[in-house]
Amino acid sequence: MKKEFYNIAKLITKNSKILDVGCGNGELMKYITENISKDIRGIELSKTNVQKCVEKGLTVIEGDAEKDLKQFPDSSFDFVILSQTLQAFLDPENVLNELLRIGKKAIVSIPNFGHWKVRLHLLLKGTMPVTENLPNEWYNTPNLHMCTIKDFENYCKQRNIKINLKNLKFQNLFSELGIFILEK
Amino acid sequence: MSEKDKIKTLLVKKPLKLDCGQTISDFPLAYETYGKLNDKKDNGILVFHALTGDQFASGTNPITKKDGWWNYALGPGKAIDTDKYFVIAANVIGGCMGSFGPSDINPKTKKPYGTNFPVITINDMVNAQYNLLEYFKIEKLFCVVGGSMGGMQVLQFVSNFPNKAHTAIPIACTASHSAQNIALNELGRQSIMADRNWQDGFYEEQNKQPDKGLAVARMAAHITYLSKAGLQEKFGRKLQERDDLKFSFDADFQIESYLRYQGSVFVDRFDANSYLYITRAMDYFDLTKKFGGNLSKAFEKSNTKFFIISFTSDWLYPTSENREIVIALNAIGKNVGFVEITSDKGHDSFLLNVPDFLNTVKNFLNKSYEKIS
């Protein structure tokens, strides 16, 4: 399993109620089910991935996070997870609002466009950065709204969203990925 | 062995108050079982059939000699594995495979009920079948499952008996019959009633059968079970055993011949009045009605785990209507999974060999059973 998933799982309280938005093939959900809480379900857009979740015995709803989060009532989950998909939504602001509405806490991870490798790539090569975490070219990337850890922190501050972040400067330069717990 | 001996029947003695106000008692409920009920009695699955189905879901139907209607999904080693689970399937009341229906003899008149048979609803069908749980002494079913009208019965069952099934799989269905579907059913009914032989529903006393009307009803309905793409791919404009058009009203096209065949075989196995009564039950189905339009309230008391399945090319019970059920369940924090299966076989997909569908059902059932047992 990806290191990111262990780090996300560590943030979750035992036996809490969880929604994994864009749960992929269910790898993280399975780990959480077996180790932290059985009360977890996922939303996933890809039919192939939905099938993989069902094979694992996970509760999954085929759907689109941009349209289908509105069916959940306010604060219906203790944690709502969104792993590395925020930047791919047409309207990430709306999705973030929805996550914070339906979840008491939201765990959001983003690929950090402020990482030194990304910065160096653009500076030296003058082309759009392609890295391990951002493997696509500009013309086929699903990422519509790239941001840096600093951007994301500013966004949350402006909207009075509580965010856990220490040593911003260091993290913005050296983290390829930002994982945050957000609270309204 | 006579035909009737091949049908297992439970005589329901307990009075059943129907939605129409009448009460019935001592009525027959025909059923079939597959597999074995285990000692813990925790492996029971109740399968609900669709409009023209019956209790013979698997194997060979001993009356029609055709394959059971859910042969692809149900049987030893199949998606609903009868080596593992004990499956009960009943003929709905109003039907024509041994359960109390309009062709039964009315003891008062000594003649078939015909259209004097009470109008029944999905709720009545489910309440009648609930007696099977008591008969088999099953405290809680492992699963209730069904497609189309069978799916409606699944929803009704969970709403009526919120703690009597661990899991529920409503497939390609709706919680409230749409205007389009009522219209299509009315087309079928009017076709039957327009047949001179229908005789206001008392055709049996006169030894007549409204076969033409029933066949046309079936032909029209059959189109709605398929998809445009599926029809085009299978038939296109192919001609039936001829090289060119005949400039007549013969079945020039393969699709015409196919539909005529579907109509003609249907009348051999199905009763016209049952078709009227069962389509009426579907039209009356609106699970939200009792709950002020709020579908969530229908499931408030339930702790059943739902798994809802729809098909991409099903325009009769489209994904959007299935999704309404998912939304209603999520709105009250119930445990619900949902999958839309890609298939060009239309509404009929749930009856056919659609591997993604069959695997999904199999995985869901087996993984869920691991958790309860």
Side-chain angles (χ1 to χ4, degrees):
Chain A
M1 194 171 75
K2 284 196 285 189
K3 197 177 152 212
E4 178 199 354
F5 286 168
Y6 288 110
N7 286 328
I8 289 176
K10 270 189 232 159
L11 302 173
I12 293 168
T13 319
K14 272 236 167 218
N15 301 322
S16 52
K17 189 170 183 184
I18 307 145
L19 177 70
D20 186 352
V21 178
C23 60
N25 64 13
E27 201 182 8
L28 174 60
M29 280 216 288
K30 185 166 186 272
Y31 178 80
I32 292 174
T33 307
E34 286 164 2
N35 298 288
I36 299 162
S37 173
K38 293 199 185 335
D39 197 359
I40 181 166
R41 65 204 68 186
I43 288 195
E44 174 57 35
L45 191 59
S46 144
K47 287 184 191 299
T48 318
N49 277 336
V50 169
Q51 295 289 347
K52 286 179 184 159
C53 290
V54 177
E55 278 168 33
K56 293 186 175 87
L58 300 164
T59 299
V60 63
I61 295 166
E62 185 176 328
D64 180 350
E66 293 213 70
K67 289 187 294 199
D68 295 327
L69 293 179
K70 58 175 183 283
Q71 63 190 276
F72 298 100
D74 296 356
S75 304
S76 43
F77 298 96
D78 298 313
F79 292 93
V80 178
I81 302 167
L82 183 72
S83 159
Q84 293 202 58
T85 35
L86 185 65
Q87 74 284 352
F89 291 124
L90 285 172
D91 188 353
E93 191 171 4
N94 174 51
V95 173
L96 269 177
N97 288 340
E98 282 293 88
L99 296 183
L100 289 164
R101 181 185 66 77
I102 65 177
K104 290 173 193 153
K105 288 180 180 178
I107 299 175
V108 175
S109 74
I110 56 160
N112 178 23
F113 215 69
H115 186 258
W116 65 268
K117 275 190 197 161
V118 177
R119 297 189 197 193
L120 215 58
H121 186 117
L122 185 59
L123 183 71
L124 297 180
K125 292 193 179 168
T127 59
M128 281 303 282
V130 176
T131 66
E132 203 178 312
N133 258 328
L134 300 164
N136 297 95
E137 295 283 354
W138 64 272
Y139 50 82
N140 61 11
T141 178
N143 301 329
L144 307 174
H145 303 275
M146 289 304 305
C147 68
T148 69
I149 289 178
K150 196 172 172 182
D151 283 326
F152 194 69
E153 200 219 8
N154 289 340
Y155 172 93
C156 293
K157 273 187 181 162
Q158 282 163 17
R159 283 159 185 80
N160 288 323
I161 299 167
K162 279 188 232 156
I163 178 168
N164 69 319
L165 199 63
K166 291 166 208 149
N167 201 350
L168 170 65
K169 262 194 183 157
F170 178 82
Q171 290 195 0
N172 197 29
L173 193 56
F174 293 107
S175 308
E176 289 201 55
L177 207 66
I179 302 175
F180 312 99
I181 305 183
L182 309 180
E183 260 179 280
K184 245 200 298 209
Chain B
M1 204 156 127
S2 83
E3 297 282 275
K4 275 221 153 165
D5 294 336
K6 295 170 189 159
I7 294 177
K8 298 184 182 101
T9 308
L10 171 68
L11 188 69
V12 181
K13 298 208 167 114
K14 214 162 57 177
L16 173 64
K17 184 155 198 273
L18 304 174
D19 284 334
C20 68
Q22 289 191 39
T23 299
I24 57 171
S25 58
D26 296 300
F27 62 90
L29 186 68
Y31 68 92
E32 189 51 74
T33 66
Y34 304 93
K36 264 180 130 173
L37 187 61
N38 63 11
D39 294 340
K40 285 197 282 179
K41 298 190 185 237
D42 71 355
N43 67 338
I45 297 181
L46 184 55
V47 166
F48 296 105
H49 71 72
L51 168 57
T52 69
D54 50 42
Q55 66 273 38
F56 300 112
S58 185
T60 303
N61 182 323
I63 309 296
T64 63
K65 314 278 188 264
K66 300 251 167 68
D67 281 351
W69 57 270
W70 223 6
N71 230 3
Y72 281 116
L74 208 162
K78 293 183 185 174
I80 304 171
D81 187 354
T82 51
D83 286 337
K84 247 177 125 164
Y85 307 116
F86 176 64
V87 175
I88 312 166
N91 185 212
V92 298
I93 55 167
C96 48
M97 196 52 89
S99 284
F100 188 45
S103 55
D104 279 6
I105 302 295
N106 183 344
K108 280 185 197 149
T109 62
K110 311 270 188 279
K111 288 175 185 167
Y113 281 95
T115 37
N116 285 332
F117 192 77
V119 167
I120 45 131
T121 62
I122 299 292
N123 181 43
D124 299 331
M125 293 175 178
V126 165
N127 289 335
Q129 291 174 73
Y130 182 74
N131 289 292
L132 289 162
L133 267 72
E134 286 167 13
Y135 178 69
F136 287 106
K137 299 189 174 60
I138 294 172
E139 185 52 39
K140 188 167 185 171
L141 290 161
F142 164 52
C143 183
V144 281
V145 57
S148 197
M149 187 184 82
M152 300 178 205
Q153 292 174 76
V154 169
L155 300 175
Q156 185 79 59
F157 182 95
V158 177
S159 182
N160 290 8
F161 311 106
N163 296 312
K164 287 292 176 184
H166 286 281
T167 58
I169 316 180
I171 304 161
C173 70
T174 182
S176 175
H177 223 225
S178 67
Q180 177 176 272
N181 284 2
I182 296 170
L184 290 165
N185 277 348
E186 174 63 359
L187 177 70
R189 286 191 294 267
Q190 286 301 325
S191 159
I192 291 168
M193 292 175 178
D195 188 322
R196 219 181 265 248
N197 284 344
W198 181 61
Q199 301 283 328
D200 292 327
F202 301 101
Y203 47 86
E204 280 182 289
E205 312 172 15
Q206 303 178 35
N207 280 321
K208 288 178 176 167
Q209 292 294 332
D211 285 350
K212 285 196 172 137
L214 182 59
V216 173
R218 176 62 168 178
M219 286 166 75
H222 200 87
I223 303 166
T224 71
Y225 304 150
L226 310 173
S227 74
K228 187 180 177 189
L231 275 173
Q232 195 63 27
E233 194 192 326
K234 190 167 173 188
F235 300 102
R237 295 184 54 82
K238 278 184 261 181
L239 299 178
Q240 179 67 23
E241 292 165 1
R242 59 196 68 190
D243 302 324
D244 207 347
L245 302 175
K246 292 283 186 208
F247 293 89
S248 76
F249 295 101
D250 276 357
D252 275 348
F253 297 100
Q254 278 187 9
I255 179 63
E256 293 175 299
S257 169
Y258 171 79
L259 280 181
R260 288 182 188 190
Y261 173 76
Q262 291 297 331
S264 73
V265 292
F266 184 61
V267 300
D268 292 337
R269 72 173 177 91
F270 214 81
D271 174 53
N273 281 337
S274 277
Y275 198 87
L276 300 182
Y277 277 93
I278 299 173
T279 54
R280 205 68 190 132
M282 294 165 82
D283 293 347
Y284 280 7
F285 184 63
D286 177 8
L287 200 50
T288 69
K289 198 180 164 202
K290 219 171 93 185
F291 303 95
N294 185 344
L295 181 58
S296 297
K297 286 203 171 135
F299 304 117
E300 226 156 29
K301 292 180 194 135
S302 136
N303 59 11
T304 299
K305 180 173 153 190
F306 280 85
F307 190 65
I308 293 162
I309 304 176
S310 72
F311 298 94
T312 49
S313 59
D314 183 351
W315 56 274
L316 200 58
Y317 297 94
T319 291
S320 58
E321 288 187 32
N322 289 275
R323 214 183 258 281
E324 292 291 323
I325 309 160
V326 182
I327 291 168
L329 288 162
N330 275 326
I332 49 170
K334 297 294 174 187
N335 191 337
V336 54
F338 167 69
V339 174
E340 184 199 48
I341 303 286
T342 304
S343 159
D344 69 357
K345 295 187 164 84
H347 180 58
D348 260 355
S349 295
F350 79 97
L351 298 169
L352 302 172
N353 188 13
V354 177
D356 273 355
F357 164 65
L358 297 171
N359 286 333
T360 301
V361 171
K362 189 183 188 111
N363 285 326
F364 174 76
L365 283 178
N366 292 348
K367 290 287 174 180
S368 300
Y369 191 66
E370 279 173 24
K371 282 176 199 164
I372 70 142
S373 61

